[in-house]
Amino acid sequence: MKLALVGDIGGTNARFALWKNDRIESVRTLAAAEFATPERAIEDYLSALGLPLDSLSSLCLGCAGPVSGEDFRFTNNHWTLNRTAFRNALQLDNLLLINDFTAMALGMTSLRENERIQICPGEAEADRPALVIGPGTGLGVSTLLPDGERGWRVLPGEGGHVDLPIGSLREAALWQQLFAELGHVRAEDILSGSGLVRLYRSICALDNHVPHLTSPAEISSAALAGDPVAEEVLSLFCIWLGRVAGNGVLSLGARGGVYIVGGVIPRFSAFFQSSGFAKSLRSKGCMSHYLEGVPVWLVTAEYPGLEGAGVALQQMLDTPNAA
């Protein structure tokens, strides 16, 4: 029987899984640095399962970076890929390459109820877009759209690079501190793992504290242990995320809901649930009513990118002449 494989390729890790009966199975994570090419990593994955290379028929990879053209260079690792050569080397009938955050967004369509925590109550409007936003290494933003035919499309974008919005005098003072360092202050400059550290250092500089925390994990742990500077870092992080997400809902008409993904927020999920996120999301002056009733979920699924790659692959295979 011919097999379908899905992958989620980041800067450090490459995750692979078989796609069977609309779910992933046999998930394995490989270090990209240990393989000269993505073909070699896939061969190793299949070999570990006792599967020959010619058992593979269809493949979808979610890839960090803009996906277009015949050649692709992976962001933050040494791999490159030529579509034709890659397809021939793996003897594939079907090959689909998509952006990794497109895969993440499609993964929201196959979530189980125990894989998300409701942050803001509401009813998703089934025919409206949903916003998928995720602080991680950077800030990913995508829009999930129902296609009207029981399928899904994703509108990719670079929403993590919008200007950081200011909502208080304290934030304005910190923005000035950040502007002196960066010149142009993007949402991603704060709403990411490295952004937590940058915000911590900016608060220390503004308030004449000696910084002693050096990583996102240290800052999160210190905040949860009661360190007042670290607490302010997490508090402002949540508020700024709410403001950026709320701007996205207004811009996109995303009354299908908001999905918070990525590796940062789950480190302090209880703090996040009681933070100022929800208030800042909905604090939009004369348009605040528009955000009322828009549900927000924190996604806790382990492999949403792989699941989304599977959804994308299945939609392609179910479309006549898609390959």
Side-chain angles (χ1 to χ4, degrees):
M1 182 179 67
K2 291 291 188 177
L3 298 174
L5 181 70
V6 293
D8 181 14
I9 315 297
T12 302
N13 294 317
R15 297 177 178 87
F16 297 106
L18 298 179
W19 178 252
K20 291 183 178 181
N21 301 317
D22 296 331
R23 303 304 301 189
I24 58 172
E25 61 178 58
S26 303
V27 177
R28 187 173 172 220
T29 300
L30 304 176
E34 295 181 3
F35 299 90
T37 65
E39 294 95 320
R40 295 298 184 196
I42 290 169
E43 290 172 6
D44 185 88
Y45 171 82
L46 292 172
S47 177
L49 295 177
L51 298 170
L53 188 61
D54 62 7
S55 64
L56 191 61
S57 172
S58 302
L59 171 62
C60 176
L61 294 181
C63 310
V67 178
S68 63
E70 180 74 3
D71 296 298
F72 180 79
R73 178 175 294 277
F74 290 83
T75 301
N76 297 327
N77 74 39
H78 62 287
W79 287 354
T80 60
L81 183 154
N82 174 275
R83 288 177 190 260
T84 300
F86 183 81
R87 185 168 176 166
N88 290 339
L90 297 179
Q91 305 171 50
L92 296 171
D93 296 322
N94 307 292
L95 171 64
L96 179 62
L97 301 181
I98 60 176
N99 176 263
D100 61 336
F101 220 79
T102 295
M104 180 70 77
L106 287 170
M108 302 304 98
T109 68
S110 61
L111 289 177
R112 301 175 178 91
E113 278 303 313
N114 65 353
E115 292 178 329
R116 64 184 188 180
I117 300 168
Q118 188 157 67
I119 302 300
C120 298
E123 288 294 328
E125 297 183 15
D127 60 341
R128 301 300 295 274
L131 177 70
V132 183
I133 184 167
T137 303
L139 178 64
V141 181
S142 281
T143 308
L144 184 64
L145 303 166
D147 67 3
E149 299 177 359
R150 301 183 69 182
W152 300 90
R153 294 188 298 124
V154 175
L155 178 64
E158 294 297 334
H161 297 277
V162 299
D163 294 343
L164 185 71
I166 305 304
S168 70
L169 293 176
R170 176 64 168 173
E171 291 175 20
L174 285 167
W175 181 91
Q176 289 182 308
Q177 189 75 32
L178 293 161
F179 179 78
E181 174 190 349
L182 301 171
H184 177 236
V185 188
R186 308 165 300 162
E188 182 174 276
D189 292 325
I190 293 301
L191 299 176
S192 59
S194 61
L196 275 173
V197 179
R198 180 176 287 113
L199 180 55
Y200 170 73
R201 290 174 178 167
S202 295
I203 289 174
C204 288
L206 187 64
D207 295 343
N208 296 313
H209 298 305
V210 177
H212 62 279
L213 303 173
T214 60
S215 72
E218 287 182 359
I219 292 168
S220 300
S221 296
L224 299 180
D227 181 288
V229 178
E231 277 189 21
E232 185 182 13
V233 172
L234 290 200
S235 178
L236 285 170
F237 187 97
C238 296
I239 289 169
W240 256 314
L241 181 59
R243 192 168 294 125
V244 171
N247 287 350
V249 172
L250 288 176
S251 298
L252 299 164
R255 296 187 58 83
V258 178
Y259 294 88
I260 308 295
V261 299
V264 174
I265 300 296
R267 295 175 184 153
F268 49 89
S269 58
F271 184 102
F272 180 70
Q273 291 178 68
S274 61
S275 73
F277 169 86
K279 181 178 179 180
S280 67
L281 174 89
R282 293 170 171 165
S283 182
K284 298 298 179 187
C286 66
M287 289 303 294
S288 295
H289 68 279
Y290 189 87
L291 281 296
E292 293 296 330
V294 174
V296 180
W297 300 278
L298 173 62
V299 175
T300 59
E302 193 170 9
Y303 302 113
L306 284 175
E307 295 279 7
V311 172
L313 181 61
Q314 194 64 53
Q315 289 191 158
M316 184 188 76
L317 295 176
D318 289 343
T319 303
N321 303 316

